[in-house]
Amino acid sequence: MLTVDFSRFPLAPGDRVLDLGCGAGRHAFECYRRGAQVVALDRNGEEIREVAKWFAAMKEAGEAPEGATATAMEGDALALPFPDESFDVVIISEVMEHIPDDKGVLAEMVRVLRPGGRIAITVPRYGPEKVCWTLSDAYHEVEGGHIRIYKADELLAKIREAGLKPYGTHHAHALHSPYWWLKCAFGVDNDKALPVRAYHKLLVWDIMKKPLATRLAEQALNPLIGKSFVAYATKPHLPRVDAK
């Protein structure tokens, strides 16, 4: 299940991609399939080991084209272990809402992104997220949980302040918002509640089968209750300074 829309955020074979806070690796895997040179970075060592195993399995299965590379590594988003302008593309999906120093993370991403490079940022959308916070304190008051809810204008302002130029936004995963509302209403750790189990089965069926009816329904509902807000931006080239 991808949050970044690669029709709006195109990759070219050989692009150097950083998936920052990669989690289970869903976007990193897609970039690898598209021929990129991918670095998947996360502070969670257990998840990074799993991502590395999947990269190896994908290579063995021939899922990535010739020339594509993939590396999984532990790291700190506030102190990235890369030189300036190391990447053509940076993706950070559902991460910034967890980090107190979000401006510091943005600064690090801008530092490692080359001029003209592209960045995709996704966060939980304000409205659906606010419902979750209202229904359940346990949803967000956990170690490593969400510490803020972004309004779209607030996030875009921070992106601009970091020196990036936004060029597009959209919402995603409308069908997932009711699932999390149910989880919050019945208890975030209660997977046995009948409405939660039934809706989870629907989501699994939708992800696996991708039926046209639910694709069209989600497309129609995304502007209203899409669970994620997605922003795309570029790093401008510095103005040319002629030598005197």
Side-chain angles (χ1 to χ4, degrees):
M1 183 186 74
L2 299 174
T3 307
V4 172
D5 181 351
F6 286 93
S7 69
R8 308 181 195 217
F9 190 69
L11 289 182
D15 274 351
R16 298 162 296 168
V17 177
L18 173 63
D19 185 1
L20 181 56
C22 64
R26 57 200 172 105
H27 289 106
F29 300 149
E30 180 65 19
C31 294
Y32 189 32
R33 291 188 186 98
R34 291 170 177 262
Q37 299 174 5
V38 184
V39 175
L41 184 143
D42 200 284
R43 65 183 299 177
N44 186 316
E46 184 176 342
E47 285 197 310
I48 282 298
R49 287 187 286 275
E50 284 299 310
V51 170
K53 290 178 183 177
W54 279 106
F55 278 151
M58 291 172 66
K59 182 177 181 180
E60 184 175 346
E63 290 189 36
E66 186 176 352
T69 63
T71 303
M73 61 185 295
E74 289 185 60
D76 183 352
L78 289 165
L80 295 174
F82 311 112
D84 296 355
E85 302 178 9
S86 298
F87 295 95
D88 303 298
V89 172
V90 177
I91 296 171
I92 185 167
S93 183
E94 311 299 304
V95 173
M96 288 180 57
E97 68 275 8
H98 297 272
I99 300 177
D101 186 8
D102 57 348
K103 290 185 178 181
V105 173
L106 276 166
E108 272 294 87
M109 290 190 290
V110 171
R111 179 184 68 79
V112 301
L113 186 66
R114 68 165 177 80
R118 304 174 305 286
I119 189 166
I121 300 173
T122 91
V123 297
R125 184 183 186 177
Y126 183 84
E129 184 77 348
K130 190 69 173 178
V131 173
C132 290
W133 283 46
T134 301
L135 290 172
S136 171
D137 290 336
Y139 171 80
H140 63 97
E141 291 182 354
V142 294
E143 184 177 354
H146 299 182
I147 62 170
R148 71 174 65 82
I149 310 176
Y150 287 101
K151 292 185 177 179
D153 289 347
E154 175 192 359
L155 180 60
L156 291 171
K158 288 188 176 185
I159 290 171
R160 292 187 181 98
E161 288 170 8
L164 297 167
K165 183 177 180 180
Y167 70 84
T169 65
H170 65 89
H171 300 100
H173 310 317
L175 295 182
H176 289 250
S177 290
Y179 172 71
W180 282 103
W181 297 340
L182 289 170
K183 288 271 287 182
C184 290
F186 286 93
V188 290
D189 296 320
N190 180 13
D191 294 325
K192 296 182 179 180
L194 180 59
V196 174
R197 287 191 291 116
Y199 203 97
H200 184 263
K201 287 183 179 180
L202 170 66
L203 291 179
V204 171
W205 172 77
D206 175 58
I207 291 170
M208 298 301 293
K209 300 297 185 180
K210 296 181 175 64
L212 179 61
T214 55
R215 295 300 88 217
L216 292 175
E218 184 157 77
Q219 185 177 355
L221 290 170
N222 273 336
L224 302 174
I225 60 168
K227 183 74 170 66
S228 295
F229 173 71
V230 188
Y232 305 106
T234 59
K235 179 178 177 178
H237 291 275
L238 293 175
R240 181 176 175 178
V241 179
D242 294 326
K244 294 183 179 180

